[in-house]
Amino acid sequence: MDATDIKILTLLQEDASISIAELAQKVNLSQTPCWKRIQRLEASGIIQKRVALVDPEKVGLGLTVFVSIETNDHSGSWLESFAEFVSEMPEVMEFYRMAGDVDYMLRVVVSDMAAYDGFYKRLIETIPLKNVTSRFAMQRVKATTVLALKASK
Amino acid sequence: MDATDIKILTLLQEDASISIAELAQKVNLSQTPCWKRIQRLEASGIIQKRVALVDPEKVGLGLTVFVSIETNDHSGSWLESFAEFVSEMPEVMEFYRMAGDVDYMLRVVVSDMAAYDGFYKRLIETIPLKNVTSRFAMQRVKATTVLALKASK
DNA sequence: CTTGAAAAGAGCGGCCA
DNA sequence: TGGCCGCTCTTTTCAAG
């Protein structure tokens, strides 16, 4: 992955609706090799997919909550079913297994407190958890899907 | 925004490379009205933009860190410059002002511990902060940009 | 990698119901 | 609104330098 690939990725991460002609021009290539690079990046999975980003506020999903979870039971099969259950909750945008004091970390997006309460009840009713801490966002200062890329390999 | 718009948004959130013809078929419309709905959704800002999602692991950005920040100084101008400084750090993917014990919450993506250490030093050297807690992710179980939409208005 | 070009396909817009 | 039917532009492939 050379500097040109990084340029292409950076531009496509910011706007994937750009035409190949314009993209090629911005990275100082003609269409054909530019197109081939994109194909390669897609085939290798570096570009996972192209998606439309929806404004959460405009569709009534204005409440973001970070949820820290501590668990008791740590058996392998329990963890697996826990992971699957949480993954399937549509309000969960991100779900990480953590190192340290917190076992899991979620970012949850809902319409309002009432909706979060519903989510919370579903979460704790279905699964026995040692501790669940909810932290509520007042303001989204920055949210991006653009990774800062550096040359490698 | 009716049920058809929601279908369109859901499909485009999952895959924006789909053609209008195929999309129209999936929502039981012909191309023109389907296309017009997409235009309307884009003009109104409900669809913010179309982007390419890059696999962080494949570009050597395998370390995700959640950073909780408590601040001392709460003067308006200080907060503004803090927000701007943090927003401009490319490692910061998400940045929220919070309610409660934690003042700010970041999700930071870097290549490894050394890179995180560099980020951390830049953060605390530049700005006086009361408390900064870093929590490290071991495993990304789920990460999506797809909002779960419900009918409204 | 470049240019050029051509076939296939998709986006876009008018017009009618 | 939604649907039919073109026109236009892009994407995609190919050949040759």
Side-chain angles (χ1 to χ4, degrees):
Chain A
M1 214 177 61
D2 64 8
T4 305
D5 280 342
I6 289 182
K7 270 190 193 170
I8 292 174
L9 286 175
T10 302
L11 290 166
L12 283 181
Q13 282 190 105
E14 275 153 12
D15 179 11
S17 68
I18 189 176
S19 76
I20 294 191
E22 199 180 340
L23 182 60
Q25 200 189 345
K26 290 195 178 177
V27 300
N28 298 315
L29 256 86
S30 55
Q31 290 198 21
T32 312
C34 183
W35 179 81
K36 281 186 181 169
R37 280 172 184 266
I38 295 170
Q39 295 304 309
R40 200 162 39 71
L41 291 167
E42 279 174 349
S44 67
I46 290 176
I47 294 177
Q48 286 185 312
K49 53 181 179 173
R50 290 145 183 268
V51 302
L53 296 184
V54 168
D55 185 333
E57 299 276 348
K58 295 211 168 147
V59 293
L61 293 170
L63 182 58
T64 296
V65 188
F66 286 90
V67 184
S68 313
I69 296 175
E70 291 172 59
T71 56
N72 278 312
D73 188 331
H74 289 276
S75 83
S77 64
W78 185 89
L79 287 179
E80 228 173 88
S81 63
F82 170 71
E84 191 176 327
F85 177 78
V86 175
S87 292
E88 279 172 9
M89 296 177 95
E91 298 93 336
V92 175
M93 302 299 287
E94 295 178 66
F95 174 26
Y96 291 85
R97 186 165 60 80
M98 306 297 291
D101 57 335
V102 167
D103 294 311
Y104 293 93
M105 194 76 196
L106 312 182
R107 183 168 66 85
V108 174
V109 171
V110 289
S111 54
D112 52 29
M113 261 313 165
Y116 183 70
D117 192 43
F119 168 84
Y120 181 81
K121 282 180 182 160
R122 254 187 299 144
L123 180 68
I124 60 166
E125 273 171 18
T126 320
I127 310 171
L129 298 167
K130 185 170 153 197
N131 189 31
V132 178
T133 303
S134 306
R135 292 194 173 86
F136 298 90
M138 299 297 293
Q139 184 191 357
R140 183 173 65 155
V141 183
K142 178 183 183 180
T144 185
T145 58
V146 180
L147 297 168
L149 302 173
K150 284 172 196 164
S152 66
K153 300 184 202 178
Chain B
M1 214 178 58
D2 63 8
T4 305
D5 280 341
I6 290 184
K7 270 191 194 170
I8 292 174
L9 286 175
T10 303
L11 289 165
L12 283 181
Q13 282 190 105
E14 274 153 11
D15 179 12
S17 68
I18 188 175
S19 74
I20 293 187
E22 199 180 340
L23 182 60
Q25 202 188 345
K26 290 195 179 178
V27 299
N28 299 315
L29 260 92
S30 58
Q31 293 195 22
T32 311
C34 183
W35 176 78
K36 280 184 183 167
R37 279 170 183 266
I38 296 170
Q39 295 303 308
R40 201 160 38 74
L41 291 167
E42 278 172 351
S44 67
I46 291 177
I47 295 178
Q48 285 187 314
K49 51 180 179 172
R50 291 145 183 269
V51 302
L53 296 183
V54 168
D55 185 333
E57 300 275 348
K58 294 212 167 146
V59 293
L61 293 170
L63 183 58
T64 295
V65 188
F66 287 90
V67 184
S68 313
I69 296 175
E70 292 171 58
T71 56
N72 277 313
D73 190 333
H74 290 275
S75 83
S77 65
W78 185 90
L79 288 179
E80 229 173 87
S81 65
F82 170 70
E84 190 174 328
F85 177 78
V86 175
S87 292
E88 278 172 9
M89 298 177 96
E91 298 93 336
V92 175
M93 303 298 287
E94 295 177 65
F95 175 26
Y96 291 86
R97 186 166 60 79
M98 307 296 292
D101 57 336
V102 166
D103 294 312
Y104 293 94
M105 193 76 197
L106 311 182
R107 183 168 65 87
V108 174
V109 171
V110 289
S111 55
D112 52 30
M113 264 310 167
Y116 183 71
D117 193 43
F119 168 84
Y120 181 82
K121 282 180 181 159
R122 253 185 300 143
L123 180 68
I124 61 167
E125 273 172 19
T126 318
I127 311 173
L129 298 167
K130 185 171 154 198
N131 188 30
V132 178
T133 304
S134 306
R135 293 194 172 85
F136 297 90
M138 301 297 292
Q139 184 191 355
R140 183 173 66 156
V141 184
K142 177 183 183 179
T144 184
T145 58
V146 180
L147 297 169
L149 302 173
K150 284 171 196 164
S152 66
K153 299 182 207 181

